[in-house]
Amino acid sequence: MERQHTETGAGLLARIERALGTGDATHRAGSGSGSGWTRLTVRLSGSGLTVDVVADTSRPPRGIAYLLPGGGLNFAADFFTPGGPDDHHLTHHLCRRGLLVVGVTPREDASTAAEITAEQGLAAHRRDLAGVVGALDCVLRLPYQYAGHSAGAALALDAAGHDGSPRLRRVVVLDTTGPYTGELTLRAAATRDVYAGLLAQGTYATDPGLAALIAEAVADPAAPSPAPWPPNPSLRFTRAGLAHFALIRTAALPGPANWIYAQGHSAGEYAFGATPAEDRFTLAHTSLATWRAATAALGSGLIPTALMRDLAAVWAGDEATYRIPWDRIRAEVVWVNTALGRGDHPRGADLIRAGGNDRVGFTVVPGYGHGDAVWGRTAAADVWSLF
């Protein structure tokens, strides 16, 4: 049975804090444009998970949105980007819709590379999430949805396939990929093999390095970077040039998984000049300052190798290595990809429909990159309005 709650603000957060059990907790209050809000952050003892809860102080919630960040990100970086206007926070957008926001940051955000294990694949992330959902469902019994970005969106789908609760109403999938089709399945299988090989060698975590790249570009934009400049490899990108190239043309970078982007993390233009200092570049939707604010909020920034192996297995359709139970996803699915990010690959949505769920939508937003979907200046109108 679902309950009609009358608690708001601090009273509601106190109930949630008790439900989550022991841990280090901090409370923050603030005001958005419109309703006031309050925030609770709890680092759970034992698991290392961090749970952020943001509640409207003026009215009780009508439901819960579990926000699941992308690989290497955390709740604050992905959904509560510091320094930006409230309209740029997906958290406040959902709170204004009457939802209690619960951000679940995976344990690797608070881990060193030595603390990450070979077992921290997609199933481990799903079990961690289920523990949080179960604890809160026992005391709140509100309808809820999973909403994830990138790897967090794959986790949302996996969690939905294993969650038979009648209170699970919706899955919001923001720029991720299910199984590819055609030749891309072979490329995905090769990516899976790279990460499986790293696991076999004892490399259990990787650092994408984007946070350091952006920090250097902001601190000293004109300084030379270590990266060769494509028109003349004897020269080097400037730090600002390299950061913009990495954001705009992610797919052109070396690395086992950069090919999954149709173009890049951020929409924009990059034109080579006569020298690296004369390169011209601009970001279309998300400023470098916002990228800096988001990446500065990261913890370790590490991604477990086992998680990447499992995601690549999903892309390859390799169900022997990892299977998302597409046929068991019964909640409504709202899948929104970006044209320059993860692109027009609807196979995952098709598999959910083939399992008998016809409440599945798949949309591709033109002109947006992977990170623009959460950090873009006009994301509220162009992307969030779709769910």
Side-chain angles (χ1 to χ4, degrees):
M1 179 182 296
E2 294 168 9
R3 297 177 182 175
Q4 182 66 41
H5 285 272
T6 59
E7 287 178 306
T8 62
L12 178 61
L13 295 191
R15 174 195 284 265
I16 290 170
E17 187 176 348
R18 289 193 297 271
L20 291 174
T22 58
D24 298 324
T26 57
H27 298 258
R28 304 176 181 88
S31 60
S33 56
S35 301
W37 55 271
T38 185
R39 177 182 172 192
L40 166 72
T41 301
V42 181
R43 174 73 55 77
L44 301 184
S45 299
S47 72
L49 291 176
T50 300
V51 179
D52 283 274
V53 184
V54 181
D56 193 314
T57 57
S58 66
R59 57 181 172 173
R62 62 177 177 82
I64 304 170
Y66 289 96
L67 296 191
L68 312 176
L73 298 175
N74 57 30
F75 166 78
D78 212 348
F79 305 118
F80 207 88
T81 312
D86 285 340
D87 283 345
H88 289 184
H89 298 320
L90 183 55
T91 294
H92 286 317
H93 177 83
L94 294 173
C95 280
R96 292 181 190 121
R97 292 186 173 187
L99 297 173
L100 179 74
V101 169
V102 180
V104 183
T105 295
R107 60 180 70 198
E108 58 263 21
D109 183 67
S111 301
T112 65
E115 292 169 328
I116 294 175
T117 71
E119 284 71 48
Q120 284 178 242
L122 192 51
H125 286 73
R126 187 188 73 242
R127 289 190 293 268
D128 282 345
L129 172 61
V132 174
V133 174
L136 296 189
D137 192 52
C138 285
V139 296
L140 299 180
R141 303 189 75 78
L142 286 167
Y144 60 90
Q145 60 182 272
Y146 296 122
H149 176 221
S150 192
L155 173 59
L157 289 162
D158 196 30
H162 289 85
D163 187 338
S165 171
R167 283 181 288 281
L168 173 60
R169 302 297 173 77
R170 177 186 255 201
V171 187
V172 175
V173 179
L174 193 53
D175 215 36
T176 202
T177 316
Y180 286 105
T181 58
E183 292 184 3
L184 289 179
T185 60
L186 300 178
R187 196 162 188 181
T191 298
R192 173 207 59 203
D193 292 345
V194 169
Y195 288 111
L198 289 171
L199 283 170
Q201 296 166 17
T203 301
Y204 299 147
T206 58
D207 183 351
L210 195 57
L213 196 69
I214 292 171
E216 290 170 355
V218 171
D220 195 356
S225 76
W229 187 57
N232 182 351
S234 68
L235 301 178
R236 296 294 180 263
F237 276 106
T238 66
R239 288 182 176 178
L242 179 60
H244 283 81
F245 190 85
L247 291 173
I248 297 166
R249 300 193 186 176
T250 314
L253 299 177
N258 285 325
W259 65 271
I260 64 176
Y261 302 101
Q263 179 173 299
H265 288 296
S266 213
E269 298 293 333
Y270 198 105
F272 294 115
T275 68
E278 295 173 272
D279 285 359
R280 294 293 174 262
F281 38 80
T282 184
L283 299 174
H285 300 294
T286 307
S287 70
L288 190 65
T290 299
W291 275 99
R292 173 57 178 149
T295 54
L298 296 180
S300 71
L302 297 172
I303 304 176
T305 308
L307 177 61
M308 290 304 303
R309 176 206 58 202
D310 291 347
L311 291 172
V314 170
W315 305 334
D318 171 17
E319 296 190 347
T321 298
Y322 200 89
R323 179 179 185 269
I324 290 177
W326 308 101
D327 55 325
R328 299 213 310 260
I329 298 174
R330 291 288 171 250
E332 177 190 11
V333 177
V334 181
W335 195 319
V336 181
N337 272 14
T338 64
L340 303 179
R342 302 300 279 272
D344 189 5
H345 298 286
R347 177 62 177 157
D350 292 342
L351 289 172
I352 299 170
R353 293 191 197 97
N357 182 352
D358 60 2
R359 296 184 300 146
V360 182
F362 182 88
T363 305
V364 180
V365 179
Y368 269 67
H370 186 62
D372 298 329
V374 287
W375 298 317
R377 288 181 296 272
T378 55
D382 295 343
V383 182
W384 307 345
S385 62
L386 299 172
F387 51 80

